[in-house]
Amino acid sequence: MDTSLPRDAAAVNPALPLRLMLLTHSYWPEHSPPQRRWLSLTREFRKAGWDVDVVAPVAHYPNGKRDLPRRKAGFAFAHQEGPHGETIRRVPYLRHLGTSPLARFVDQLFSAVMSVPIGLGGKKPDAIVATAPSLPTLATGYVLSRLRRVPFIVEMRDAWPDLARDARIVQGSVKSLVERVVEFVQQRADLVVTVTDGFAETLRDRGIKNVVTVSNGLDLNSMPFLEPPALERDVFQAVYLGNHGKSQRLDILIRASALLGEGFHLTLVGHGTSRPQLVKLARELNAPVTFFPSLQGQAVMDKYREADTCIVSLRDDWKSFETTVPSKTYEVLAIGRHVTAVVRGEAERIIVEAGGGDVVAANAEAVAQLWRELSEDRSRLASGTSGRDWVRDNADYAQLALRYMDSITSLVNPESTDARGTA
């Protein structure tokens, strides 16, 4: 099928080249949500002639320790060249086991503090972007933007601080320190970028004026379109790839597969703080579930090819998730596999609008019933190209980067934007 893009950042280049500093707790060569987003955006920024300085810890995600060769993971207080010619300034980290949320937070706090002196080095940027999570990165961005006297851009990839209350990190009617700090930084940012329209609207309702949405996405040209699964098959295969945390409620999927038993199989790929409990639950229920560690590249595509349906899941009892879209949503839509969507709000709207699959309630009986119906009528598994078409129109990084560069340029050089608009 034709996967050519309607526009290309290098050809269009709507923005005068700028120098951008990115603060993030995870970047290449790690594999993580901020890495996937910003490695793609950085490639497009670099194509357009921008200089990008990335301030990030030595690679140690997700296990809390360096597993890669030191030359590839980077040296603390040194810099290395990234895949697209960007400069990566490496920050030290605190070694931990990778399974404790508190240990991760302390590590992120340490790296955020150490990012301040490192962020003061090098050429002065035109703007600073701090992408969250992690939350301590926001404070670092605010301090550095004041010290270097440049515009500050806050990127909220999750719905903080609302998520803190939903996750019971904070409780009670009085605002917590976390909420106050996040709101303080959001209110003083020159630009706030969200990844969903819903959370952008929430922030505007709170009086934050300069808010734009640049959603998550993918590189469509690198993502194949898969033929639909066979019409005849002995075992129905459901596959989930992604984080195994409290936010996903993957126990619902395990309970659903236990209800179905023989003739059904669930594959869970990834890691997260809830994984040990999920493994234990599957064993106790004797559920037909196989766990795999995080996979990359071709191994991911092999799992997608094995799937009859791919799952995106977010718990439905946290209000902040009404304005949250799992990043895997775009991937499973692009490959053309049927989607079992245990989501609501904006993510539900996207699945329905894209015609990518079925949205189902977050309970085991409902999920089991859907998979039973799909196995009895496998023609429903042929999703067609509508999901991929939706991604091309709404979530391709080549297009998203153009929107991002326009927003930053409008902030840094409003005159040049006006000139383009009146040309």
Side-chain angles (χ1 to χ4, degrees), residues 164-176 179:
R165 193 160 289 276
D166 287 341
R168 299 185 183 278
I169 296 173
V170 298
Q171 300 184 48
S173 58
V174 179
K175 283 189 176 181
S176 70
E179 291 172 294

Side-chain angles (χ1 to χ4, degrees), residues 53-371:
D53 290 340
V54 182
V55 178
V58 173
H60 66 295
Y61 178 87
N63 297 321
K65 60 184 178 63
R66 180 180 59 78
D67 294 323
L68 295 168
R70 189 174 294 277
R71 184 175 295 278
K72 189 170 184 180
F75 294 85
F77 302 107
H79 65 268
Q80 64 185 136
E81 184 174 307
H84 306 302
E86 70 274 31
T87 299
I88 307 173
R89 303 184 183 280
R90 291 296 184 184
V91 179
Y93 70 97
L94 293 179
R95 181 171 173 150
H96 58 93
L97 296 178
T99 55
S100 165
L102 178 60
R104 284 188 179 181
F105 178 77
V106 173
D107 170 37
Q108 292 168 0
L109 182 61
F110 173 77
S111 293
V113 172
M114 298 306 297
S115 295
V116 174
I118 292 174
L120 290 173
K123 293 182 179 178
K124 182 178 180 178
D126 295 300
I128 292 176
V129 176
T131 183
S134 75
L135 295 184
T137 304
L138 297 180
T140 302
Y142 175 73
V143 171
L144 279 174
S145 69
R146 293 303 182 266
L147 292 174
R148 305 209 71 164
R149 299 179 183 276
V150 296
F152 177 38
I153 301 163
V154 165
E155 181 180 83
M156 303 303 301
R157 300 191 329 276
D158 281 335
W160 292 90
D162 309 51
L163 190 54
R165 193 160 289 276
D166 287 341
R168 299 185 183 278
I169 296 173
V170 298
Q171 300 184 48
S173 58
V174 179
K175 283 189 176 181
S176 70
L177 178 62
V178 172
E179 291 172 294
R180 290 180 184 279
V181 170
V182 172
E183 289 182 0
F184 174 89
V185 174
Q186 289 172 344
Q187 289 165 356
R188 284 157 182 78
D190 298 288
L191 173 69
V192 178
V193 177
T194 68
V195 296
T196 66
D197 291 328
F199 191 53
E201 199 58 40
T202 297
L203 294 180
R204 292 189 190 103
D205 289 344
R206 292 174 184 166
I208 298 174
K209 295 179 180 177
N210 199 6
V211 185
V212 300
T213 300
V214 181
S215 75
N216 282 319
L218 51 74
D219 298 316
L220 196 59
N221 275 345
S222 66
M223 192 63 59
F225 181 78
L226 305 181
E227 295 299 319
L231 288 174
E232 297 291 335
R233 200 173 191 186
D234 293 335
V235 178
F236 183 88
Q237 298 281 354
V239 173
Y240 171 85
L241 294 94
N243 190 39
H244 293 35
K246 289 172 60 179
S247 301
Q248 288 74 38
R249 282 294 311 273
L250 300 184
D251 63 296
I252 291 173
L253 308 179
I254 293 173
R255 296 180 193 280
S257 63
L259 289 173
L260 293 165
E262 188 176 354
F264 293 84
H265 187 266
L266 171 65
T267 299
L268 297 177
V269 181
H271 60 83
T273 55
S274 297
R275 193 172 192 268
Q277 292 81 11
L278 294 170
V279 173
K280 181 181 178 186
L281 177 65
R283 190 180 300 123
E284 290 173 348
L285 298 178
N286 194 28
V289 182
T290 303
F291 291 86
F292 289 87
S294 296
L295 301 174
Q296 309 299 332
Q298 186 57 45
V300 171
M301 208 48 60
D302 290 344
K303 287 300 172 202
Y304 281 145
R305 282 196 172 87
E306 294 173 6
D308 290 313
T309 184
C310 295
I311 305 157
V312 293
S313 180
L314 279 179
R315 60 189 309 151
D316 66 346
D317 54 345
W318 290 3
K319 184 171 176 52
S320 58
F321 282 172
E322 292 182 4
T323 58
T324 301
V325 179
S327 57
K328 283 290 180 185
T329 303
Y330 308 108
E331 195 167 290
V332 295
L333 287 175
I335 62 173
R337 273 291 183 268
H338 175 275
V339 183
T340 294
V342 191
V343 294
R344 63 175 186 168
E346 191 159 342
E348 177 181 1
R349 177 186 61 78
I350 289 173
I351 295 294
V352 172
E353 193 175 297
D358 290 276
V359 179
V360 63
N363 67 73
E365 290 77 13
V367 174
Q369 180 61 26
L370 172 64
W371 289 350

